[in-house]
């Protein structure tokens, strides 16, 4: 495993990013719709990557908790419902 996490990147589906849980790297995706929902709560003028960066700590925390709870996916998709 490469010890360097790839930078979050914009895809057609949303933002793809990686987190490490118990020394294992997991790929995760925040869909465009989820990022849009989040941006409206902070600043509707943010683009998708800007929204991800504004909420990065929260998004990655949710991803780690889901992985810790046994939720899996390739990538793990983190929808709006996890931020309620």
């Amino acid at each position: 495993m490469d010890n360097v996490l790839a930078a979050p990147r914009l895809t057609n589906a949303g933002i793809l990013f990686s987190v490490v849980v118990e020394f294992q790297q997991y790929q995760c995706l925040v869909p465009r719709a989820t990022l849009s929902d989040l941006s409206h709560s902070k600043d509707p003028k943010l683009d998708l990557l800007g929204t991800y960066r504004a909420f990065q700590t929260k998004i990655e925390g949710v991803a780690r908790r889901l992985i810790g709870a046994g939720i899996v996916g390739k990538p793990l998709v983190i929808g709006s419902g996890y931020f309620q």
Side-chain angles (χ1 to χ4, degrees):
M1 176 178 85
D2 189 351
N3 289 334
V4 178
L5 293 178
R9 66 183 175 94
L10 182 61
T11 68
N12 288 335
I15 301 289
L16 189 64
F17 66 99
S18 299
V19 294
V20 174
V21 177
E22 295 184 14
F23 306 106
Q24 187 169 350
Q25 186 172 332
Y26 295 86
Q27 292 293 310
C28 303
L29 175 79
V30 181
R32 287 177 175 267
T34 300
L35 291 164
S36 178
D37 290 345
L38 289 171
S39 73
H40 290 300
S41 70
K42 186 162 187 99
D43 182 353
K45 296 177 186 170
L46 287 173
D47 64 6
L48 294 178
L49 199 50
T51 300
Y52 174 83
R53 288 187 178 125
F55 289 92
Q56 185 170 357
T57 301
K58 186 173 188 174
I59 292 169
E60 291 178 359
V62 167
R64 286 186 182 93
R65 285 191 295 281
L66 291 173
I67 292 163
I71 308 294
V72 295
K74 293 193 182 204
L76 173 62
V77 178
I78 303 170
S80 295
Y82 295 114
F83 296 97
Q84 301 299 323

